[in-house]
Amino acid sequence: MERLLAMTVLLLNRGRMSAKELAERFEVSVKTIYRDMETLNRAGIPVMAVQGISGGFEIMDRYKLDRHLVSQGEVSSLLAAIQGVTQAMEDRTYSDLQEKFKTLLQPADKSVWESKGGSLVFDFQPWGQGPAVKQKVTLLRQAVQDKHLAKLSYINQDGTENARIVEPSALVMKGSAWYLQGYCRMRGDFRMFRLSRVTELSLLPESFTPRDAPVLDGYSWNPAWSHKEECEVRLIFRPEARYRMGDMFSPEQIVPMQGGDFAVQAIFSLDEWFYSMILGFGDFVKVEHPVSVAQEIKTRAERIIALYQQEC
C-alpha cells in the first residue's frame, strides 16, 4: 500500500513515466509495475497507459488526492518548514500559506501547534545577521519574479569591490548563508553571489529575458570559483578541536590517531577561505604536508605577530 500511494503521488507530480523508470525507482520488476497499475485502476485512480517510444503511465489531469491521505505528522512537518521560511523572509505569501496548512490539522493538533509549536523546528535565519539580509532577500526575490536587473556592489575574494549588473535567477540558502544565483553581465556567465558580501543593492527598471540557468538541485561547490590551485593537504588536530571539526569535514575524513589527535586528509583549494579556516583553529591544528602550505601558514602567523609587536 505504501508503494502504491508513493507511486500515485509520483505520477501526479511528474506526469508520464515509463514502466522501466517506475520499476527502477521502487526496486521492483516491470511485471510488478503492470500489476500495480491494474490495482490502482481498480481502486478508482484513473491511470492511463500511453503506447510508443515516449509512452508510459500517467494519471488523468483532473484527478486530485484527498487531503486526508496526508497524515497529521506530515502536515506538522510542512508547517514547521513554512514557519522557518516565514521567519527568514519578509513575505506575507508564506504566512498566508502557513494559515492554509493549519486548516488541515485536526482541532486538537491545531491547538497544540498554536500553543507549543511543533516538535521539529526549521530556523533559516542565520546567526548574527540582522534585518539587512532580509531586506536584500526580499528585494532580490522581487527581481527574480519581475525579471528585473539588479545592480550589486560586490566584495570579491581578493578584497576588491566592483559593481555588477546581474540577471537574478534564484535565491539559495546554503548552510546558514543566503546566495543569489544570477547571470553576471561583467563575467558573461552564471555566478553565485553571497549576500553578506553585497554592500549596496538596487533594482534597475530594465527587464531581461531569462536564460537557462544551471540546475540547483544538489548544488555543490565548484572548485573553479576560487580560481586557485587544488592540493591534497594533511592536517593534524588536537583533541580540543574535535567539537568543531564536524562543522568543516565529513565523518569519513576524520581519522582518530594514537594519543588522541585526529588526522584529516583532503583536497582543498588554496584560497583565502582555506587559510582563514586553518588560522581560525589557532594552535589546535598543524599542517603536516605539503611543506609549502605549512610555510604559508607560518608566514601569515608571523605577519599577525608583527602587527602586535608594532603596538608594544
Side-chain angles (χ1 to χ4, degrees):
M1 290 303 298
E2 289 179 359
R3 184 177 76 246
L4 291 174
L5 178 57
M7 199 175 295
T8 303
V9 173
L10 190 64
L11 289 174
L12 283 170
N13 288 333
R14 297 197 180 183
R16 188 180 304 169
M17 295 184 70
S18 69
K20 182 180 179 182
E21 288 174 322
L22 290 168
E24 292 175 351
R25 175 65 181 263
F26 294 99
E27 299 180 348
V28 295
S29 66
V30 172
K31 189 175 182 179
T32 298
I33 294 298
Y34 279 97
R35 286 202 300 265
D36 287 345
M37 294 300 110
E38 292 178 5
T39 302
L40 290 174
N41 269 315
R42 288 198 301 270
I45 298 173
V47 179
M48 300 187 302
V50 180
Q51 304 298 321
I53 298 176
S54 59
F57 295 102
E58 63 182 45
I59 296 177
M60 293 179 64
D61 291 340
R62 295 185 179 180
Y63 180 78
K64 299 288 186 245
L65 280 175
D66 189 283
R67 72 178 188 176
H68 294 99
L69 289 175
V70 182
S71 71
Q72 296 296 290
E74 289 169 336
V75 173
S76 295
S77 297
L78 286 170
L79 276 170
I82 296 169
Q83 186 175 49
V85 175
T86 304
Q87 293 171 348
M89 301 176 67
E90 294 179 346
D91 191 327
R92 186 172 177 177
T93 302
Y94 294 101
S95 58
D96 291 344
L97 181 62
Q98 188 177 9
E99 292 302 316
K100 291 177 182 178
F101 267 90
K102 283 182 182 178
T103 64
L104 299 179
L105 290 172
Q106 297 294 337
D109 294 316
K110 184 177 180 180
S111 177
V112 171
W113 172 268
E114 291 180 341
S115 61
K116 299 181 179 179
S119 58
L120 183 65
V121 177
F122 293 94
D123 190 346
F124 299 119
Q125 182 65 18
W127 290 107
Q129 296 191 14
V133 173
K134 280 188 177 182
Q135 293 168 6
K136 292 176 185 177
V137 170
T138 302
L139 200 60
L140 288 170
R141 186 165 181 269
Q142 179 185 340
V144 172
Q145 291 177 336
D146 298 340
K147 301 176 179 59
H148 277 284
L149 293 175
K151 184 178 181 180
L152 319 176
S153 289
Y154 193 71
I155 302 175
N156 303 303
Q157 287 188 354
D158 59 3
T160 61
E161 185 174 356
N162 52 32
R164 307 283 190 99
I165 304 298
V166 179
E167 300 173 8
S169 175
L171 283 164
V172 181
M173 172 163 276
K174 191 72 173 178
S176 61
W178 280 103
Y179 293 83
L180 169 69
Q181 181 200 43
Y183 183 86
C184 178
R185 291 193 170 181
M186 185 175 80
R187 302 298 186 191
D189 198 2
F190 279 91
R191 289 289 190 269
M192 295 289 284
F193 300 93
R194 183 165 177 149
L195 296 196
S196 60
R197 297 178 186 169
V198 175
T199 58
E200 294 182 18
L201 170 64
S202 60
L203 300 190
L204 302 179
E206 181 184 349
S207 59
F208 64 91
T209 302
R211 307 171 191 260
D212 291 333
V215 178
L216 288 172
D217 187 21
Y219 213 58
S220 57
W221 175 258
N222 184 349
W225 293 340
S226 68
H227 307 290
K228 297 291 184 179
E229 63 174 314
E230 286 189 306
C231 179
E232 186 174 48
V233 180
R234 180 175 172 83
L235 308 170
I236 305 299
F237 288 89
R238 287 168 48 186
E240 293 90 337
R242 181 68 182 89
Y243 77 102
R244 288 181 54 198
M245 294 173 64
D247 298 335
M248 300 291 180
F249 314 107
S250 59
E252 59 270 16
Q253 291 177 318
I254 303 172
V255 179
M257 301 176 64
Q258 291 184 352
D261 290 345
F262 295 88
V264 171
Q265 188 159 327
I267 296 176
F268 297 95
S269 292
L270 303 182
D271 53 15
E272 286 301 318
W273 177 90
F274 170 77
Y275 287 113
S276 297
M277 182 269 292
I278 297 298
L279 290 170
F281 278 94
D283 62 344
F284 290 165
V285 64
K286 179 181 179 181
V287 177
E288 190 171 72
H289 74 76
V291 176
S292 59
V293 175
Q295 182 58 48
E296 177 63 21
I297 292 292
K298 181 180 177 181
T299 300
R300 290 175 180 242
E302 288 172 346
R303 288 203 296 264
I304 294 172
I305 293 172
L307 287 175
Y308 292 96
Q309 287 176 337
Q310 293 173 3
E311 296 178 358
C312 296

